[in-house]
Amino acid sequence: MANQEAPRKGFADALIRLGEKHDNLVVLDADCAKSNMTNLYKNRFPERFFNIGISECDLVGTAAGMAVAGKVPFANAYANFLTGRAFDQMRISVCYSNNNVKIVGHNAGTSAAQEGATHLPLEDISLMRSLPRMTVIVPADAVEMEKAVEAAYYHEGPIYLRVGKLPVPIVTKKEEPFKIGKAIKYREGSDITIISTGIMLDESLKAADELEKQGVSAELLHIHTIKPIDKEAIIASAAKTKHVITVEEHSIIGGLGSAVAEVLSESQPAILRRIGTNDRFGVSGKMDELLDLFELRAHRIISTANELLGHRVTS
Amino acid sequence: MDFSKEKGEFYNNLTKTIRRHIVKMTNHAGSGHPGGSLSATELMSVLFFEHMNVDPDNPDWQDRDCFFLSKGHCTPVFYSVLAEKGFFPVEELMTFRDVDGRLHGHPCGEHIPGVDISSGSLGQGLSVANGVGLIAKLDGSNRRSYCMIGDGELQEGQVWEAAMTTAHYNLDNVCAIIDWNKIQLDDFVENVKGVKNLGDKFRAFGWHVVEIDGHDIHAVNEAYKEAKRTKGRPTAILAHTVKGKGVSFMEDTHDWHGMAPNDEQLEIALKELA
């Protein structure tokens, strides 16, 4: 079994490394520092850490003021409360004001697990993607997370970074270059395109390899930047395969699936199936159980591919 | 201590000039918010001309004082004060709300010199002011951070989230100015959702409170001085004002919260403000 690590640990490690180099990096949290691991930054740089309390709107506004004062703030909170409650603060005080604030949504996707529906953010990407000027990054694992945090720091402008809580397999490589807005091709193929984001890269890799064994040549694009999305990579792949499946640990409404659908329908019509949560709330359960429940698994990608390609699907 | 006779005369002229801008700009646009602009005229004029450490030629200078107009709809007074202070030409005021101009209905922080944040969605300014205050403390800078809030706006919960933050971090470099004109869009504040005992509310949150007549330039000046002298906690200036102040038919009514004078009304207003 592959090594596992919590994406939030990769986030915290990268933040501290950047903090050592740059004294303009400040970190804010809404009383979730232990859970979000920003307490590691707090322990290392106590004067550059601010617990704003359980008040996400105030958190985002305060971060905007810190950016006005010339700092690079990373504003952390649980993803659903942050993006739902403080949406308007991000819209006006951050994006419309063009303030250099990094918004970090924690407990991503299914990683809040047994906390249940209130704590499972399955709509955050959709919300953040709709904000003008907002860049949206959804890394696959702790290794890619570290690169994403670094890229976010050096990027001038608002960023939404989605960070998971629980350990997931490390599937990306340290030496792989990371560029905001640039998709990474993990498998070359000709029959069908699988486009994954976030931790779904793991299941997508398994699916692509299994499809290969079944004689289906699957191309796999990993999209860590949902906005701006890598149109060229999507168009080039869809032009070749004509069949596309998107896979995300998020609602199929407004997230990766919608973003890809927009690109395809405007530029390169192809048959598309979106795999994600289907207009529903979460429930309590272990992360693995939730991924099973939502069918965010390789077997679903495989059966969907076969169905798309007109193969007989055996259950 | 009162201003000198000359200073008093200067502010008398300046506030009249700004009030004339306000009615002319809203007349030009055929829309806008004269009521809450006229009530804030003395508060904004004395702040920018007496207390704010800013440089109109270098508006983004890092150690400047910052001002955040949380009641973002009151751009007529904000833009007028900025123009008179020299941040952009006074003539530009007559492009207010024009589609090809930058003086939008609500201020855009990115495009207008002297505007430190975009605003217009109520309740957000004090959090931003706190961000500047916290960083000033971190950097050992003497810069100050001001935020103007409407009394109706105090119904927004974020104001009180932020008020807790300011006091918790002992941000004596943050000053909130409440333009307490008693009227919001629909009606009198006390008829909509009252903000009675406002001084007690802020004191209970850990703030120093100064309550003044917001149209008395001497009292306004002393309040800002007191805010600067007050150490260890933030200061809220509760300024009793009159909505629509200076134009008889606009005074003390919600009708002129968000309505522009037509040409005849403008003429009457300008006569009163001569």
Side-chain angles (χ1 to χ4, degrees), chain B residues 87-100:
Chain B
F87 281 93
F88 51 84
V90 170
E91 299 77 59
E92 194 177 340
L93 292 174
M94 294 309 280
T95 65
F96 180 52
R97 291 183 167 234
D98 286 355
V99 69
D100 52 355

Side-chain angles (χ1 to χ4, degrees), chain B residues 24-174:
Chain B
K24 278 163 47 183
M25 287 163 72
T26 47
N27 167 264
H28 161 82
S31 63
H33 298 81
S37 291
L38 292 165
S39 64
T41 300
E42 281 78 12
L43 294 165
M44 294 276 299
S45 300
V46 174
L47 178 62
F48 269 83
F49 280 79
E50 211 67 39
H51 296 279
M52 287 275 290
N53 192 15
V54 288
D55 179 2
D57 295 326
N58 189 8
D60 295 327
W61 159 57
Q62 201 40 248
D63 255 347
R64 72 191 185 278
D65 289 348
C66 283
F67 173 79
F68 303 101
L69 183 70
S70 200
K71 45 176 257 171
H73 51 286
C74 293
T75 39
V77 66
F78 190 18
Y79 294 158
S80 298
V81 168
L82 288 176
E84 287 294 334
K85 183 78 185 170
F87 281 93
F88 51 84
V90 170
E91 299 77 59
E92 194 177 340
L93 292 174
M94 294 309 280
T95 65
F96 180 52
R97 291 183 167 234
D98 286 355
V99 69
D100 52 355
R102 57 180 175 174
L103 301 186
H104 303 308
H106 295 79
C108 175
E110 198 191 5
H111 293 128
I112 312 167
V115 176
D116 288 320
I117 198 88
S118 303
S119 60
S121 176
L122 294 174
Q124 300 193 15
L126 188 55
S127 299
V128 181
N130 289 339
V132 172
L134 283 165
I135 295 305
K137 294 273 180 195
L138 175 64
D139 289 347
S141 162
N142 288 325
R143 74 192 300 184
R144 292 181 62 75
S145 185
Y146 295 90
C147 177
M148 175 172 279
I149 306 169
D151 52 352
E153 185 183 1
L154 296 170
Q155 293 157 358
E156 289 280 6
Q158 190 188 350
V159 174
W160 301 101
E161 294 180 7
M164 288 174 76
T165 301
T166 333
H168 178 81
Y169 284 97
N170 305 316
L171 297 180
D172 50 18
N173 51 8
V174 172

Side-chain angles (χ1 to χ4, degrees), chain A residues 10-16 18 25 74 102 137 139 144-154 161 163 178:
Chain A
F11 168 74
D13 289 346
L15 209 55
I16 290 169
L18 285 162
L25 196 163
F74 279 68
K102 315 306 170 188
I137 304 181
E144 187 169 68
M145 182 64 67
E146 294 196 35
K147 291 183 268 189
V149 175
E150 188 147 320
Y153 173 84
Y154 290 109
L161 183 65
V163 179
F178 181 97

